[in-house]
Amino acid sequence: MILGQYNIPTGISILGLFLSFSSIILSFKSHFEIAIVCFMYSGLCDYFDGYIARRLDLTAKDKEFGTQIDTLVDVVSFGVTPILFFLNDGLTELTDLLLFFIYLSATVIRLAHFSTHGMQTSNKVKYFSGVPVTYAALIFPVVYIFKDVLQEGIFISFIRITVCLMSLFFVIKTPIPKPSGIFYVIFPLLAVALSFYFLYIR
């Protein structure tokens, strides 16, 4: 009686959407440190939903639905969320708006390409074509650390350059090896370390 296919990976995807939504709301209330932590963990949700899905005996309908909902959540989590975060943090000039539109367009193009072509394989190694949009959940928090050490004008320029580069890397045809093995430990540990910094040190 309810639309959709419901399983653990789908639940994790929805959890990631909830964390992204929370990040947006928190940034509107100027709770930027908590907002950026929520953003990071939305990235972890996206990282692990596929990992878990590959280890479950899912039906074809489950897999197809999971792929679609994952892509839609990614648009919100790694396209819309960082844009609203930076807008709420004061990057509201016309140049910023144009730059954010380019970033959002690159995000959508990158996701559409991945939905159409998937990953490539070379010498039994799987790789993405272009940088996955999920990497925004790691790169932007790391960049945001520099707000504490750079002058405001320099930091804003740093953000703009980062957004430009990420927009380019999303769509440029560069092979990026798919993280596996130890990275499923490294990324969560890095998220915990950054969370500790933003919540207790910053």
Side-chain angles (χ1 to χ4, degrees):
M1 298 297 294
I2 301 176
L3 296 176
Q5 307 294 124
Y6 299 96
N7 47 55
I8 294 174
T10 297
I12 295 174
S13 296
I14 295 298
L15 175 60
L17 180 62
F18 171 76
L19 289 168
S20 297
F21 177 73
S22 299
S23 179
I24 291 171
I25 299 302
L26 288 164
S27 70
F28 270 103
K29 295 181 176 295
S30 298
H31 300 308
F32 295 110
E33 288 77 14
I34 306 176
I36 208 162
V37 169
C38 288
F39 179 56
M40 283 191 297
Y41 284 99
S42 72
L44 284 183
C45 286
D46 183 67
Y47 192 53
F48 279 96
D49 60 1
Y51 175 85
I52 294 174
R54 289 188 294 272
R55 280 152 181 79
L56 296 177
D57 186 21
L58 301 177
T59 67
K61 286 186 177 181
D62 286 334
K63 293 177 181 179
E64 183 178 0
F65 181 80
T67 299
Q68 295 299 322
I69 199 168
D70 182 69
T71 299
L72 294 171
V73 168
D74 285 354
V75 173
V76 177
S77 295
F78 313 115
V80 176
T81 300
I83 289 174
L84 291 177
F85 180 94
F86 289 128
L87 285 172
N88 288 324
D89 199 24
L91 278 75
T92 57
E93 294 185 9
L94 182 60
T95 302
D96 298 320
L97 300 181
L98 177 60
L99 184 56
F100 291 151
F101 176 73
I102 293 172
Y103 172 85
L104 184 59
S105 299
T107 300
V108 173
I109 291 169
R110 172 68 183 81
L111 290 168
H113 176 85
F114 182 74
S115 295
T116 305
H117 301 284
M119 286 184 293
Q120 309 298 316
T121 303
S122 178
N123 297 324
K124 297 182 179 181
V125 176
K126 292 184 177 181
Y127 63 90
F128 299 100
S129 183
V131 172
V133 298
T134 311
Y135 283 29
L138 177 63
I139 294 172
F140 282 136
V142 170
V143 168
Y144 205 67
I145 292 175
F146 288 90
K147 188 173 185 178
D148 296 333
V149 297
L150 297 177
Q151 294 180 356
E152 182 178 0
I154 296 176
F155 174 72
I156 290 175
S157 297
F158 189 30
I159 290 293
R160 290 169 176 162
I161 292 171
T162 303
V163 173
C164 283
L165 290 176
M166 291 190 67
S167 302
L168 176 63
F169 292 152
F170 282 167
V171 297
I172 197 169
K173 290 185 177 180
T174 303
I176 305 294
K178 182 180 182 299
S180 59
I182 190 64
F183 287 100
Y184 286 99
V185 177
I186 292 176
F187 287 171
L189 289 177
L190 183 57
V192 170
L194 288 171
S195 299
F196 182 80
Y197 172 79
F198 284 116
L199 296 179
Y200 296 104
I201 298 178
R202 192 171 187 271

